[in-house]
Amino acid sequence: MEVRRGDTLGQLAARAGVPLERLERFNPGVNARGLAVGQRLLIPTQQERAPSGGPYRYQIRSGDTFSKVARHFGTTAGRIQSANSGTSPTALRVGQVISVPLSGASAARAASSGSSSSASRPAPTPSASVPSSARNWPWPLEDYRIVRRFGTDSRGTLQPMLLATQAGARAQAVAPGEVRFADGMRQLGEVVIVHHADNLQSVYALCDTILVSTGQNVSAGEPLCEVGQSNATQRYDLLFDLRLGGQPIDPRQVLR
């Protein structure tokens, strides 16, 4: 997509029909305050993903070479070749999906490009404000390992909890409630959101298959979705979030 006079990244994202954060992450070298008329931006397709830390899932376009892709993402052709050992750089096909590992600098840019939206999220709610009803809830997985705790990262961005599990694992409701959302979200895969008593909500993301429907009442321990496999890590990860009145809280305050 080509920048026109007066364009902002927000306007470009709206014109392309993609979230602003997704557009930013696929253009890590773009300065949002220094757009130039005629400048071209990469518009991500539905097949592509740009997580806050590498590697990118990138779809080959007409005229692409490893060197050209590397320049766009601030990495090297050698690193792309190493990440795609079974792919010949002289036989790339339009529509082919490759992995694009990020260098330290470009990974930081990719993460910080989404931090404007993340930083605007409310700070964690203190323990004292958690309702008494939200105590000793079961964990959403029977077999899990915490690979990322809830809290702020080194850049001050609030991150939800990430749990690694096994293939075929099902995320379970942590408390009785009503399913208010059961559908796909960009960059989050299939997502289930359950509303509980006392204005609490639990969020289960990065799922592969949803097992419930919107409006359904569920009990604690009821399966909600099958956990999906991450293209970046090859792990089966569940992103789990708890919210009180829309504000994120540390799940460890509530789960037993």
Side-chain angles (χ1 to χ4, degrees):
M1 175 177 287
E2 190 169 297
V3 177
R4 304 171 187 167
R5 186 176 300 279
D7 273 343
T8 64
L9 273 184
Q11 290 171 331
L12 292 168
R15 200 154 74 224
V18 298
L20 174 59
E21 178 177 310
R22 195 158 180 240
L23 181 66
E24 290 174 321
R25 286 182 174 171
F26 266 92
N27 296 274
V30 170
N31 180 357
R33 297 183 179 180
L35 295 177
V37 174
Q39 183 178 359
R40 300 190 67 83
L41 274 67
L42 177 65
I43 305 302
T45 68
Q46 291 297 324
Q47 305 244 356
E48 295 172 303
R49 291 183 181 177
S52 58
Y56 284 180
R57 177 180 169 89
Y58 175 80
Q59 191 169 24
I60 296 295
R61 293 155 170 80
S62 178
D64 272 346
T65 64
F66 279 175
S67 295
K68 181 177 179 181
V69 175
R71 285 194 300 272
H72 179 85
F73 287 110
T75 186
T76 67
R79 296 194 73 214
I80 295 178
Q81 179 63 72
S82 296
N84 300 273
S85 56
T87 301
S88 170
T90 60
L92 297 177
R93 304 183 312 277
V94 173
Q96 179 180 2
V97 176
I98 63 170
S99 292
V100 180
L102 305 184
S103 64
S106 54
R109 286 198 300 270
S112 62
S113 67
S115 63
S116 58
S117 58
S118 299
S120 62
R121 296 169 63 182
T125 304
S127 303
S129 63
V130 176
S132 58
S133 63
R135 299 292 181 189
N136 297 319
W137 286 4
W139 285 74
L141 294 166
E142 292 182 357
D143 182 16
Y144 64 89
R145 175 169 58 91
I146 300 176
V147 293
R148 184 179 69 204
R149 295 183 180 274
F150 172 89
T152 54
D153 60 16
S154 59
R155 294 174 296 275
T157 302
L158 188 61
Q159 299 284 355
M161 178 178 283
L162 195 64
L163 305 173
T165 186
Q166 303 297 320
R170 294 182 170 189
Q172 303 172 349
V174 294
E178 180 186 351
V179 177
R180 295 287 181 86
F181 184 89
D183 205 346
M185 286 188 182
R186 296 190 182 200
Q187 300 188 38
L188 290 177
E190 300 298 313
V191 179
V192 176
I193 301 176
V194 180
H195 280 232
H196 310 284
D198 296 321
N199 206 19
L200 284 152
Q201 305 89 37
S202 56
V203 182
Y204 314 76
L206 304 181
C207 298
D208 183 55
T209 304
I210 292 177
L211 305 174
V212 292
S213 55
T214 301
Q216 179 178 337
N217 289 318
V218 295
S219 56
E222 187 168 342
L224 302 175
C225 63
E226 294 182 359
V227 178
Q229 186 176 27
S230 166
N231 291 321
T233 66
Q234 298 304 306
R235 291 193 312 256
Y236 289 86
D237 289 342
L238 175 73
L239 186 152
F240 179 71
D241 208 7
L242 275 178
R243 291 176 173 260
L244 175 61
Q247 293 190 356
I249 60 176
D250 190 340
R252 290 173 297 174
Q253 298 173 201
V254 176
L255 305 180
R256 59 170 178 257

